Amino acid sequence: MSESRPGPLLARPAHAPPAAAAPGRLCPAVMDLSGPGIPLPGPRMPNRPVELYLAEVGRQDHLALRRARELLDADERARAAAFHRPRDRDAYVVAHAALRGALSRLLGVPADALPLVREPCAGCGGPHGRPALRARGVHFSLSHSGDLVMVALAPTPVGVDVEGLATARAVLGAQSALHAAEADELARLPAHERPAAFTRTWVRKEAYLKGLGTGLVRDPALDYVGTGPLPAAPAPEWTLRDVLVPAGYAAAVALRTG
């Protein structure tokens, strides 16, 4: 890919919620994957405390998906082609194009020339862990679920997670993943409120574990993040915030601040 295709445009400020946003929630910027190529800015450091970007898979037309595929490297294109369901393939393409586009504009390098490496696996130590940058002082996290993709960029370790609303059956089957206090809180809620409360609890846990770099290798029941409207910090040096996303989803970001 040539340097004339730097990646998607980035819309409104990522960390400034609109007046209508729920208190305490961060508002992501919307990524435009169909926009024309523009000169690469940067390099620069991520804005503090965190930059958040959102892309919706279902809103991407044929042109946007084609441009998104052009941002991927050869390995990512091969992985995308291996998906049998077009929806899964599109979600993978949009997710990795969104990440590469955001990093490209941050670092000022073409999306397919990013200095990405693989960290050791948190479970086995093998060379297939989460992707990371060789560039110092830049941390990122990627999550996608259903129709939504979220990217977080920060100057310190960061984790982001987005999930579709859990079903009542899923809530019952995942009690062992909750801290004892969280399970207690959930049990005291009316049945119709439990799926939303569980989902916001789960995305907080996943965001934190991604930020730590362990993923689900670490037992999610060890850490208390709360089921209520505002998250609880799982450790003194970490901050958790919920993220404003479309109805039917929940999202959270965890940032190392100490």
Side-chain angles (χ1 to χ4, degrees):
M1 185 184 68
S2 70
E3 294 192 15
S4 62
R5 294 187 180 275
L9 303 178
L10 305 179
R12 62 182 179 271
H15 45 278
R25 289 189 185 181
L26 299 179
C27 184
V30 176
M31 304 193 79
D32 179 7
L33 298 178
S34 65
I38 57 177
L40 286 169
R44 64 174 177 83
M45 291 295 294
N47 293 330
R48 291 182 178 272
V50 63
E51 298 183 20
L52 290 172
Y53 302 107
L54 171 73
E56 295 186 61
V57 179
R59 289 183 177 270
Q60 311 305 321
D61 60 18
H62 178 74
L63 175 62
L65 289 171
R66 188 187 74 190
R67 286 180 168 164
R69 281 192 294 271
E70 292 173 350
L71 297 180
L72 306 186
D73 66 17
D75 287 344
E76 289 165 334
R77 291 180 194 177
R79 289 174 188 163
F83 284 99
H84 296 295
R85 295 175 55 193
R87 189 71 171 182
D88 294 337
R89 182 170 59 249
D90 291 348
Y92 179 92
V93 168
V94 170
H96 288 79
L99 173 63
R100 284 184 170 272
L103 288 173
S104 172
R105 291 184 54 75
L106 179 72
L107 298 177
V109 299
D112 62 355
L114 290 167
L116 291 171
V117 295
R118 285 279 177 178
E119 293 183 339
C121 172
C124 68
H128 50 264
R130 65 178 184 173
L133 279 170
R134 286 196 296 267
R136 297 184 58 163
V138 178
H139 300 264
F140 66 85
S141 183
L142 169 68
S143 180
H144 62 93
S145 177
D147 198 48
L148 295 189
V149 169
M150 292 208 69
V151 175
L153 309 178
T156 59
V158 64
V160 71
D161 192 55
V162 60
E163 301 285 348
L165 191 66
T167 63
R169 183 175 181 180
V171 173
L172 287 174
Q175 295 295 304
S176 62
L178 297 177
H179 187 279
E182 293 163 350
D184 227 21
E185 293 170 3
L186 206 64
R188 292 198 298 268
L189 291 175
H192 69 277
E193 293 183 14
R194 291 174 191 165
F198 173 83
T199 308
R200 64 176 169 252
T201 304
W202 184 253
V203 295
R204 293 167 184 173
K205 287 180 178 289
E206 281 248 45
Y208 174 55
L209 297 179
K210 284 183 175 182
L212 286 178
T214 65
L216 293 175
V217 171
R218 178 179 171 87
D219 183 358
L222 294 174
D223 304 298
Y224 176 78
V225 296
T227 65
L230 295 176
E237 66 273 22
W238 285 85
T239 297
L240 260 180
R241 295 286 295 275
D242 291 336
V243 180
L244 189 67
V245 287
Y249 292 87
V253 61
L255 185 70
R256 187 178 179 100
T257 52

